Amino acid sequence: MGVRSTIEPVPAPAPDGVSRSTKDGGGSGHGDAVGGTAGPGAAGGVADPEAARRRAERRAARITSGARELEQRLADLLRGGLAAAGQSGHGLWEETAARMVDAQAPGLAGRVRELGAIPGSGPGWPVRLLEECALIHLLDRAWLAADRLPAPFATTVRTRVGLPSPVAGLPVRDHWLVLAQYDTGDARLTTRRVWLYGTAGGRTALVLSYGAAGRAPLLSLPVGAVLDGELTPHAGSGQLRAEPGERFTPVAGPVTPPPGGPVGAALDAYGSALREDPWLDAWPVTLRGVVPARAEYGWQLADADGREALPLTPDAQSRPGLWRLVALSGGAPVTVFGECGHRGFTPLAAWSPEAPAETVPLV
C-alpha cells in the first residue's frame, strides 16, 4: 500500500540538513501509489515576470536592511559583554526576531529566536552563544556579499536567510528506500522530514512536507518500503532536499541498507558537508558495524574495534528508540542510519546482521 499526497510550493528556508522553515498544510490519505505536485514553478510560468522581478528586488532590499540592523545588534551585544545577555531575557531577542520577520528574512528570525534560549541554559552557555552569534554574523556577511559568491553557495545563503529553495536540475528516477520519517513542530508549523535512499544511484535525498500546527502533513511514506519514482533536487551547494514527482509506486524485491562506514568516515562526511554549507545542523550518514555502549557522559555508538565512537544527542538519549536499538544490537554490531551534527548523532533507523532486509525505525 502506498500513500497519495500533494505538496504545495513552500516559501521557507530549507534545511538541512537539517532546519528552520515556514508553511502550513493539511492532512493525509492512503491509496495505491504516492502522488505529488512538485515545488515552485510546477503549475506554470509567472504571469508577470517584470512584476515578480520588482517584488524580488524589494524583498532583497528589505532583507539587506534587516541584515545590517542585525549586524549592529550583534556588535552591541559583544561590546556590552556576553554576561549582559543573561540579564536581558528573551525580550530583546524576540524584538530582534520580529524585526527580521518584518524584513522578510524568516531564516534570520529563527536563528535570532534561538539565541534567546542560550543564556543561562547550563554550563558553558557563553561559548555556545558566541558560536551561534558567529554563525549569524557569517550568514549576514554572506548575504551582503551574495553577488560575489559562487552561484551554488549564493543559492544556499539565500535559502538560509529565508528565500524559497528553488528546484533545479533533471529528475532522478530510482528505487527509493524510505529510511526514516519524523515530525518537528512549533506553535505555527509541523514539519515532516522523510529521508530516502536511491538503491541504484546511491543518492540520499530529503523530502519535506508541512502542516499547520497540530495537523499532520500530507506526505506519509512507510519506513522500509521501496518506491519507484522520480525526485528533482533543489539548487544550492551541499543541498539534499528534493521534490517528489507525480507518482511513486511500491516495488518488490530485496531491501538492503545503504553502504555505511566507521565513525571516522561519518565525521569526515559531516566535515565535508560543512564546507559546502556552514549552517548545517546535521548531515545524514550510515554507520556500519557499530555497537551501542554506555559511557560516563551517556550513550554512544562505538566502532566494533573500539577505535572511535559518536555520542548520541541528548534528545536521542531520551527517546524510546534508544532502547529499541540496544535490544536490536544485544551487544553485537549493527548498521545505523541517522543524522550526525555538532551536538552528536541522532539514530533514525537500524538493521541487524540477522535481518538486513528489515528496517527498524527508531523515531
Side-chain angles (χ1 to χ4, degrees):
M1 175 179 288
V3 183
R4 182 169 300 280
S5 66
T6 300
I7 302 179
E8 298 177 357
V10 180
D16 45 69
V18 148
S19 258
R20 307 157 176 92
S21 39
T22 307
K23 174 74 176 76
D24 53 26
S28 61
H30 296 272
D32 295 331
V34 179
T37 300
V46 178
D48 188 345
E50 181 61 25
R53 183 188 63 81
R54 290 195 298 269
R55 287 194 299 270
E57 288 178 349
R58 289 194 296 270
R59 181 175 185 182
R62 284 191 287 267
I63 294 175
T64 296
S65 177
R68 287 173 175 157
E69 178 182 346
L70 183 52
E71 282 290 277
Q72 186 59 53
R73 297 279 180 114
L74 293 176
D76 292 344
L77 170 66
L78 296 180
R79 190 177 297 113
L82 293 180
Q87 304 169 4
S88 58
H90 289 265
L92 172 64
W93 303 112
E94 284 298 330
E95 176 193 352
T96 304
R99 297 285 293 169
M100 296 304 103
V101 171
D102 292 341
Q104 294 186 290
L108 290 178
R111 289 187 173 273
V112 169
R113 285 194 185 95
E114 292 187 358
L115 291 180
I118 297 177
S121 60
W125 70 259
V127 174
R128 295 193 296 276
L129 180 61
L130 185 60
E131 290 173 346
E132 290 301 319
C133 286
L135 285 172
I136 293 176
H137 170 68
L138 179 63
L139 184 55
D140 280 343
R141 302 310 301 177
W143 168 264
L144 296 174
D147 58 339
R148 301 193 297 274
L149 297 176
F153 186 61
T155 299
T156 296
V157 170
R158 294 186 181 101
T159 299
R160 290 298 185 186
V161 164
L163 295 176
S165 173
V167 175
L170 299 175
V172 178
R173 182 157 194 166
D174 208 330
H175 287 177
W176 300 96
L177 170 62
V178 183
L179 295 172
Q181 174 178 287
Y182 67 94
D183 296 348
T184 59
D186 55 28
R188 301 172 301 160
L189 176 74
T190 300
T191 302
R192 175 163 293 166
R193 304 171 66 84
V194 183
W195 285 110
L196 303 173
Y197 173 74
T199 58
R203 185 188 191 111
T204 301
L206 173 66
V207 175
L208 299 180
S209 185
Y210 301 88
R215 298 180 62 189
L218 284 168
L219 182 66
S220 182
L221 301 179
V223 173
V226 179
L227 307 173
D228 175 56
E230 292 183 343
L231 294 177
T232 303
H234 280 233
S237 59
Q239 298 301 305
L240 297 179
R241 186 180 172 187
E243 291 295 328
E246 290 295 327
R247 192 174 182 83
F248 279 106
T249 54
V251 295
V255 176
T256 57
V263 168
L267 294 174
D268 289 344
Y270 176 52
S272 297
L274 284 175
R275 289 201 298 266
E276 301 292 330
D277 182 355
W279 304 280
L280 274 175
D281 289 328
W283 185 255
V285 297
T286 301
L287 302 175
R288 182 175 292 277
V290 292
V291 180
R294 188 72 180 264
E296 181 180 354
Y297 50 80
W299 284 90
Q300 61 183 9
L301 290 176
D303 289 332
D305 59 10
R307 178 172 298 180
E308 293 180 289
L310 262 177
L312 300 189
T313 61
D315 285 347
Q317 297 195 44
S318 64
R319 294 172 181 162
L322 169 62
W323 304 111
R324 200 175 305 142
L325 176 60
V326 171
L328 180 71
S329 165
V334 291
T335 298
V336 184
F337 169 80
E339 297 172 351
C340 179
H342 63 280
R343 296 182 180 90
F345 183 79
T346 300
L348 301 177
W351 301 262
S352 70
E354 292 76 17
E358 180 183 356
T359 304
V360 178
L362 302 177
V363 290

